[in-house]
Amino acid sequence: MIVGVVGMGLIGASMAKAYKRAGETVYVYDRKKQQVDFAILSKAADGALDDDTIKECDVIFICLTYEPSIEWLKNNAEKFAQKTLVIDCCGLKKKICDVGFALADEYGFTFIGGHPMAGKQYSGFANSTETLYDGAPMIIVARDRSDINKISRLREILKLAGFGKISFMTADQHDDMIAFTSQLTHLSANAFVKIQKDYPEGFNTGGSFRDFTRVAELNEDMWSDLFLANRDNLLKDLNKFIAELTKFRKALEESDRDELHELLKNGRENKEEADKNDPVLTMKV
């Protein structure tokens, strides 16, 4: 199989390395040519993804940030072979899926929206690994889930990179979910860590602090675009979160132990219920 990967950051480079590990031929593209050269030199790729090799690809993963992914897709759609399966790996799905499905209709290739649920707080090629996707979930937005042949082919392709569970949902469902499970947590951690400056150096040694603030170290260019692109969903959840924090503040201001006890109890019970439905926590080994 011939795999194309667009973008040599953490997600793209890890994708390239995963398919090289599987013994596949990998061509890569990055706007910085030296990144492509380094990927080839380090044996993460076999060559450059260009106007010639793009036609050979069985599958192409677009692993750029949100708006650049959409632009690359628009600029290169006419070059894809009809056999090619094109999968984006963006953190949001609505806009790029609308564009991708329309271009697929126009040029005859197959487009699928994807979101690999894997990553690190550190970005770039240097932090990429061939094992990043081992056992990782993959969210898929497919316009037609009734095409058994295409879905089976997709599963086999993703399995080669190490992906575990594959979940299907609509683009709207994805973006609504991701506002809560990812964007709000990144935003909250980024806001919370700013309090650190009020405390002595080395105060952040507690495990809870490290766990909560891990995702505060984010790429502000990428996340600013993602937050604004999903503004309505994120604002909805942010307002709910602020309302819950306000309840805690009021209970503390009024030294209302009964209310504080009830708020904490309710939060614990919600966490326990959430854990019952978490496929990772309930997985039998």
Side-chain angles (χ1 to χ4, degrees):
M1 184 173 69
I2 299 178
V3 180
V5 181
V6 180
M8 284 291 97
L10 173 69
I11 298 301
S14 295
M15 196 72 75
K17 290 179 179 180
Y19 281 103
K20 280 300 297 176
R21 178 187 64 176
E24 309 302 332
T25 299
V26 177
Y27 296 121
V28 301
Y29 166 84
D30 194 274
R31 63 184 182 84
K32 296 179 181 178
K33 184 179 181 300
Q34 60 266 36
Q35 287 286 78
V36 175
D37 293 338
F38 185 73
I40 297 170
L41 185 65
S42 61
K43 301 189 185 305
D46 297 284
L49 183 68
D50 54 27
D51 287 353
D52 292 323
T53 55
I54 200 171
K55 301 170 186 175
E56 302 175 17
C57 293
D58 298 292
V59 59
I60 294 175
F61 291 93
I62 306 175
C63 305
L64 302 172
T65 52
Y66 195 52
E67 292 296 337
S69 289
I70 294 171
E71 287 307 305
W72 190 90
L73 182 56
K74 288 178 178 177
N75 293 335
N76 292 276
E78 63 181 355
K79 304 171 188 175
F80 303 145
Q82 291 198 358
K83 68 173 182 177
T84 305
L85 176 60
V86 179
I87 305 172
D88 88 277
C89 296
C90 293
L92 292 175
K93 296 271 72 78
K94 183 66 171 71
K95 184 177 178 181
I96 195 165
C97 284
D98 286 346
V99 171
F101 292 144
L103 290 171
D105 286 341
E106 183 176 356
Y107 295 107
F109 63 91
T110 299
F111 177 84
I112 288 177
H115 187 175
M117 304 304 287
K120 302 177 181 179
Q121 66 267 44
Y122 305 114
S123 60
F125 188 98
N127 294 296
S128 63
T129 65
E130 65 180 25
T131 60
L132 183 66
Y133 304 115
D134 286 357
M138 179 68 146
I139 296 175
I140 292 297
V141 176
R143 184 166 49 177
D144 181 11
R145 289 172 54 186
S146 64
D147 191 328
I148 301 302
N149 290 330
K150 285 183 180 179
I151 296 303
S152 296
R153 178 185 174 212
L154 172 65
R155 289 184 183 277
E156 289 303 312
I157 288 172
L158 293 176
K159 186 177 178 181
L160 286 172
F163 284 101
K165 181 180 179 181
I166 298 173
S167 300
F168 292 87
M169 58 182 65
T170 68
D172 287 331
Q173 288 171 335
H174 171 275
D175 290 357
D176 189 26
M177 178 203 71
I178 220 68
F180 175 66
T181 60
S182 178
Q183 293 185 332
L184 183 60
T185 54
H186 280 77
L187 187 151
S188 302
N190 192 266
F192 178 81
V193 78
K194 294 169 186 174
I195 305 173
Q196 181 182 7
K197 66 180 183 295
D198 297 331
Y199 294 92
E201 184 178 352
F203 188 79
N204 63 339
T205 55
S208 296
F209 183 95
R210 290 195 303 272
D211 289 345
F212 181 54
T213 60
R214 179 182 66 82
V215 294
E217 192 171 352
L218 45 72
N219 180 325
E220 58 271 19
D221 291 327
M222 179 183 75
W223 284 95
S224 293
D225 290 342
L226 289 173
F227 286 165
L228 289 174
N230 206 25
R231 174 178 174 273
D232 290 345
N233 285 325
L234 181 55
L235 274 173
K236 176 189 66 176
D237 290 329
L238 180 59
N239 287 333
K240 290 179 182 178
F241 186 45
I242 291 172
E244 291 299 321
L245 290 176
T246 301
K247 293 177 186 177
F248 278 103
R249 182 176 66 185
K250 184 173 183 291
L252 288 168
E253 287 175 344
E254 298 176 358
S255 296
D256 189 339
R257 188 184 188 282
D258 288 342
E259 175 64 10
L260 187 59
H261 180 276
E262 190 60 27
L263 289 170
L264 292 170
K265 176 174 177 287
N266 183 251
R268 173 181 57 77
E269 290 173 344
N270 274 268
K271 171 60 175 165
E272 290 173 353
E273 187 62 30
D275 285 351
K276 290 178 185 177
N277 299 315
D278 190 321
V280 175
L281 295 178
T282 58
M283 186 181 299
K284 287 183 170 54
V285 179

